[in-house]
Amino acid sequence: ITAAHEDAASLHHATKSRWRAYEVLYLISRLAEANDEARAALLAELREAMARNDNRFRELREGDRSLGIAPATDPRILAHLRQQEDMWRLRIRPAIERSMALPSGAEVRRIVPELDAAVREFARQVNEGADLYQQVSVDRARTFEAVQYLLFAVVAVGLGFLFWIAR
């Protein structure tokens, strides 16, 4: 039961990054229209959103007991997390940082289509990752079920052997 809870928590946490990526895109679009006062608040929100997404990869990879997430051990999940993290660090994060450094809204608006395409690709990867988490959980449940049947068979054979000896 604990493994099922951990799998569910990991899946839930993994899919949050899709929402967070769209949150960043929304904040960038607001940044393009912001005055100086609002810009400072939006930049702070963007930094926090980026930090949360950076932490998310670590939490999924290393686990976080406070969130009920076990460390990722399945090589398929680890490879997919690396792929997502590379997309985040090499394509999305740099575009966000470039937009944060631009002084005018017009310049920020020019980055939005590039960022939108990257976020859509990232969201597709997150969806694939969610499917992978579900498949790993199903595989783990099937393995556990097979072990239970094997143990039942061993116990049944052992009891049969004991009854045969007792006779």
Side-chain angles (χ1 to χ4, degrees):
I1 294 178
T2 301
H5 287 288
E6 289 171 344
D7 288 347
S10 296
L11 175 61
H12 175 71
H13 199 59
T15 58
K16 277 185 179 179
S17 62
R18 177 181 48 232
W19 174 83
R20 287 188 178 143
Y22 281 112
E23 173 190 30
V24 165
L25 185 61
Y26 169 72
L27 291 171
I28 294 292
S29 67
R30 285 187 49 211
L31 185 65
E33 308 303 324
N35 60 28
D36 287 340
E37 187 178 311
R39 182 177 174 78
L42 285 169
L43 289 173
E45 278 187 72
L46 278 164
R47 283 186 200 95
E48 288 175 25
M50 289 171 29
R52 282 191 304 265
N53 222 28
D54 288 340
N55 287 335
R56 177 197 149 277
F57 293 112
R58 181 191 49 76
E59 291 162 351
L60 289 170
R61 200 176 35 255
E62 298 171 14
D64 186 326
R65 287 290 164 204
S66 68
L67 298 172
I69 299 170
T73 55
D74 189 281
R76 298 171 292 175
I77 288 179
L78 289 168
H80 197 77
L81 280 173
R82 274 190 296 279
Q83 181 184 8
Q84 282 183 24
E85 190 169 13
D86 287 348
M87 173 73 145
W88 170 255
R89 291 196 193 285
L90 300 175
R91 191 165 166 203
I92 296 173
R93 202 172 208 294
I96 296 166
E97 289 169 345
R98 276 195 320 273
S99 67
M100 291 171 67
L102 294 172
S104 78
E107 292 173 296
V108 173
R109 278 191 288 282
R110 280 194 286 260
I111 289 180
V112 170
E114 171 194 345
L115 189 56
D116 181 57
V119 166
R120 288 177 191 273
E121 174 65 18
F122 184 73
R124 185 189 63 71
Q125 285 184 358
V126 170
N127 291 339
E128 289 174 1
D131 292 343
L132 184 58
Y133 269 100
Q134 289 174 327
Q135 184 58 50
V136 166
S137 183
V138 166
D139 292 349
R140 194 178 348 243
R142 286 186 179 145
T143 300
F144 181 72
E145 187 176 288
V147 168
Q148 284 180 321
Y149 286 134
L150 180 65
L151 287 174
F152 177 76
V154 167
V155 168
V157 168
L159 287 174
F161 183 70
L162 285 175
F163 284 130
W164 180 72
I165 288 179
R167 287 182 67 204

PDB file of all heavy atoms in Angstrom, residues 34-50:
ATOM      1  N   ALA A  34       3.673  44.861 -18.281  1.00  0.00           N
ATOM      2  CA  ALA A  34       3.766  45.445 -16.933  1.00  0.00           C
ATOM      3  C   ALA A  34       4.480  46.789 -16.929  1.00  0.00           C
ATOM      4  O   ALA A  34       5.417  47.020 -17.694  1.00  0.00           O
ATOM      5  CB  ALA A  34       4.497  44.482 -16.014  1.00  0.00           C
ATOM      6  N   ASN A  35       4.019  47.635 -16.001  1.00  0.00           N
ATOM      7  CA  ASN A  35       4.750  48.877 -15.743  1.00  0.00           C
ATOM      8  C   ASN A  35       5.897  48.554 -14.781  1.00  0.00           C
ATOM      9  O   ASN A  35       6.035  47.421 -14.327  1.00  0.00           O
ATOM     10  CB  ASN A  35       3.816  49.955 -15.184  1.00  0.00           C
ATOM     11  CG  ASN A  35       3.167  49.542 -13.873  1.00  0.00           C
ATOM     12  OD1 ASN A  35       3.720  48.759 -13.096  1.00  0.00           O
ATOM     13  ND2 ASN A  35       1.976  50.049 -13.614  1.00  0.00           N
ATOM     14  N   ASP A  36       6.708  49.557 -14.448  1.00  0.00           N
ATOM     15  CA  ASP A  36       7.899  49.313 -13.625  1.00  0.00           C
ATOM     16  C   ASP A  36       7.572  48.716 -12.261  1.00  0.00           C
ATOM     17  O   ASP A  36       8.268  47.827 -11.784  1.00  0.00           O
ATOM     18  CB  ASP A  36       8.688  50.613 -13.442  1.00  0.00           C
ATOM     19  CG  ASP A  36       9.402  51.020 -14.720  1.00  0.00           C
ATOM     20  OD1 ASP A  36       9.593  50.145 -15.590  1.00  0.00           O
ATOM     21  OD2 ASP A  36       9.763  52.203 -14.850  1.00  0.00           O
ATOM     22  N   GLU A  37       6.513  49.200 -11.641  1.00  0.00           N
ATOM     23  CA  GLU A  37       6.147  48.708 -10.310  1.00  0.00           C
ATOM     24  C   GLU A  37       5.695  47.245 -10.363  1.00  0.00           C
ATOM     25  O   GLU A  37       6.126  46.416  -9.567  1.00  0.00           O
ATOM     26  CB  GLU A  37       5.031  49.578  -9.728  1.00  0.00           C
ATOM     27  CG  GLU A  37       4.691  49.256  -8.296  1.00  0.00           C
ATOM     28  CD  GLU A  37       3.609  50.193  -7.759  1.00  0.00           C
ATOM     29  OE1 GLU A  37       3.748  51.412  -7.931  1.00  0.00           O
ATOM     30  OE2 GLU A  37       2.647  49.657  -7.188  1.00  0.00           O
ATOM     31  N   ALA A  38       4.835  46.928 -11.319  1.00  0.00           N
ATOM     32  CA  ALA A  38       4.344  45.554 -11.457  1.00  0.00           C
ATOM     33  C   ALA A  38       5.457  44.623 -11.932  1.00  0.00           C
ATOM     34  O   ALA A  38       5.471  43.440 -11.589  1.00  0.00           O
ATOM     35  CB  ALA A  38       3.165  45.508 -12.421  1.00  0.00           C
ATOM     36  N   ARG A  39       6.380  45.161 -12.722  1.00  0.00           N
ATOM     37  CA  ARG A  39       7.488  44.356 -13.255  1.00  0.00           C
ATOM     38  C   ARG A  39       8.319  43.740 -12.129  1.00  0.00           C
ATOM     39  O   ARG A  39       8.678  42.564 -12.196  1.00  0.00           O
ATOM     40  CB  ARG A  39       8.356  45.225 -14.165  1.00  0.00           C
ATOM     41  CG  ARG A  39       9.500  44.499 -14.801  1.00  0.00           C
ATOM     42  CD  ARG A  39      10.269  45.417 -15.744  1.00  0.00           C
ATOM     43  NE  ARG A  39      11.439  44.788 -16.250  1.00  0.00           N
ATOM     44  CZ  ARG A  39      11.495  43.886 -17.225  1.00  0.00           C
ATOM     45  NH1 ARG A  39      10.381  43.534 -17.833  1.00  0.00           N
ATOM     46  NH2 ARG A  39      12.630  43.354 -17.618  1.00  0.00           N
ATOM     47  N   ALA A  40       8.613  44.504 -11.101  1.00  0.00           N
ATOM     48  CA  ALA A  40       9.425  43.989  -9.979  1.00  0.00           C
ATOM     49  C   ALA A  40       8.725  42.819  -9.299  1.00  0.00           C
ATOM     50  O   ALA A  40       9.353  41.801  -8.984  1.00  0.00           O
ATOM     51  CB  ALA A  40       9.711  45.107  -8.981  1.00  0.00           C
ATOM     52  N   ALA A  41       7.426  42.932  -9.089  1.00  0.00           N
ATOM     53  CA  ALA A  41       6.670  41.840  -8.457  1.00  0.00           C
ATOM     54  C   ALA A  41       6.626  40.619  -9.365  1.00  0.00           C
ATOM     55  O   ALA A  41       6.768  39.480  -8.891  1.00  0.00           O
ATOM     56  CB  ALA A  41       5.257  42.314  -8.122  1.00  0.00           C
ATOM     57  N   LEU A  42       6.442  40.831 -10.661  1.00  0.00           N
ATOM     58  CA  LEU A  42       6.402  39.709 -11.607  1.00  0.00           C
ATOM     59  C   LEU A  42       7.759  39.008 -11.687  1.00  0.00           C
ATOM     60  O   LEU A  42       7.822  37.781 -11.779  1.00  0.00           O
ATOM     61  CB  LEU A  42       5.969  40.189 -12.984  1.00  0.00           C
ATOM     62  CG  LEU A  42       4.491  40.511 -13.122  1.00  0.00           C
ATOM     63  CD1 LEU A  42       4.207  41.229 -14.433  1.00  0.00           C
ATOM     64  CD2 LEU A  42       3.665  39.231 -13.035  1.00  0.00           C
ATOM     65  N   LEU A  43       8.825  39.779 -11.656  1.00  0.00           N
ATOM     66  CA  LEU A  43      10.165  39.168 -11.681  1.00  0.00           C
ATOM     67  C   LEU A  43      10.378  38.293 -10.449  1.00  0.00           C
ATOM     68  O   LEU A  43      10.940  37.194 -10.554  1.00  0.00           O
ATOM     69  CB  LEU A  43      11.247  40.251 -11.776  1.00  0.00           C
ATOM     70  CG  LEU A  43      11.342  40.973 -13.122  1.00  0.00           C
ATOM     71  CD1 LEU A  43      12.320  42.133 -13.036  1.00  0.00           C
ATOM     72  CD2 LEU A  43      11.725  40.012 -14.232  1.00  0.00           C
ATOM     73  N   ALA A  44       9.912  38.747  -9.301  1.00  0.00           N
ATOM     74  CA  ALA A  44      10.030  37.940  -8.077  1.00  0.00           C
ATOM     75  C   ALA A  44       9.204  36.665  -8.209  1.00  0.00           C
ATOM     76  O   ALA A  44       9.665  35.576  -7.824  1.00  0.00           O
ATOM     77  CB  ALA A  44       9.571  38.752  -6.871  1.00  0.00           C
ATOM     78  N   GLU A  45       7.988  36.767  -8.749  1.00  0.00           N
ATOM     79  CA  GLU A  45       7.145  35.574  -8.957  1.00  0.00           C
ATOM     80  C   GLU A  45       7.806  34.600  -9.919  1.00  0.00           C
ATOM     81  O   GLU A  45       7.758  33.384  -9.717  1.00  0.00           O
ATOM     82  CB  GLU A  45       5.775  35.980  -9.511  1.00  0.00           C
ATOM     83  CG  GLU A  45       4.794  36.446  -8.476  1.00  0.00           C
ATOM     84  CD  GLU A  45       3.412  36.654  -9.096  1.00  0.00           C
ATOM     85  OE1 GLU A  45       2.753  35.639  -9.423  1.00  0.00           O
ATOM     86  OE2 GLU A  45       3.018  37.821  -9.252  1.00  0.00           O
ATOM     87  N   LEU A  46       8.406  35.132 -10.982  1.00  0.00           N
ATOM     88  CA  LEU A  46       9.088  34.268 -11.958  1.00  0.00           C
ATOM     89  C   LEU A  46      10.263  33.538 -11.322  1.00  0.00           C
ATOM     90  O   LEU A  46      10.453  32.340 -11.563  1.00  0.00           O
ATOM     91  CB  LEU A  46       9.569  35.096 -13.151  1.00  0.00           C
ATOM     92  CG  LEU A  46       8.519  35.378 -14.210  1.00  0.00           C
ATOM     93  CD1 LEU A  46       8.962  36.497 -15.134  1.00  0.00           C
ATOM     94  CD2 LEU A  46       8.225  34.107 -14.999  1.00  0.00           C
ATOM     95  N   ARG A  47      11.036  34.231 -10.507  1.00  0.00           N
ATOM     96  CA  ARG A  47      12.169  33.581  -9.834  1.00  0.00           C
ATOM     97  C   ARG A  47      11.678  32.448  -8.921  1.00  0.00           C
ATOM     98  O   ARG A  47      12.274  31.373  -8.890  1.00  0.00           O
ATOM     99  CB  ARG A  47      12.970  34.609  -9.038  1.00  0.00           C
ATOM    100  CG  ARG A  47      13.852  35.472  -9.895  1.00  0.00           C
ATOM    101  CD  ARG A  47      14.758  36.388  -9.074  1.00  0.00           C
ATOM    102  NE  ARG A  47      15.205  37.471  -9.918  1.00  0.00           N
ATOM    103  CZ  ARG A  47      14.621  38.672  -9.981  1.00  0.00           C
ATOM    104  NH1 ARG A  47      13.606  38.967  -9.217  1.00  0.00           N
ATOM    105  NH2 ARG A  47      15.090  39.595 -10.801  1.00  0.00           N
ATOM    106  N   GLU A  48      10.595  32.707  -8.207  1.00  0.00           N
ATOM    107  CA  GLU A  48      10.031  31.665  -7.329  1.00  0.00           C
ATOM    108  C   GLU A  48       9.519  30.479  -8.146  1.00  0.00           C
ATOM    109  O   GLU A  48       9.739  29.322  -7.771  1.00  0.00           O
ATOM    110  CB  GLU A  48       8.895  32.253  -6.493  1.00  0.00           C
ATOM    111  CG  GLU A  48       9.345  33.188  -5.402  1.00  0.00           C
ATOM    112  CD  GLU A  48       8.178  33.838  -4.671  1.00  0.00           C
ATOM    113  OE1 GLU A  48       7.072  33.249  -4.664  1.00  0.00           O
ATOM    114  OE2 GLU A  48       8.372  34.929  -4.126  1.00  0.00           O
ATOM    115  N   ALA A  49       8.823  30.760  -9.239  1.00  0.00           N
ATOM    116  CA  ALA A  49       8.287  29.683 -10.085  1.00  0.00           C
ATOM    117  C   ALA A  49       9.423  28.852 -10.677  1.00  0.00           C
ATOM    118  O   ALA A  49       9.333  27.614 -10.750  1.00  0.00           O
ATOM    119  CB  ALA A  49       7.414  30.266 -11.190  1.00  0.00           C
ATOM    120  N   MET A  50      10.501  29.507 -11.092  1.00  0.00           N
ATOM    121  CA  MET A  50      11.641  28.778 -11.634  1.00  0.00           C
ATOM    122  C   MET A  50      12.295  27.919 -10.557  1.00  0.00           C
ATOM    123  O   MET A  50      12.664  26.767 -10.813  1.00  0.00           O
ATOM    124  CB  MET A  50      12.646  29.756 -12.248  1.00  0.00           C
ATOM    125  CG  MET A  50      12.131  30.380 -13.531  1.00  0.00           C
ATOM    126  SD  MET A  50      13.091  31.748 -14.230  1.00  0.00           S
ATOM    127  CE  MET A  50      14.737  31.476 -13.749  1.00  0.00           C
TER     128      MET A  50
END
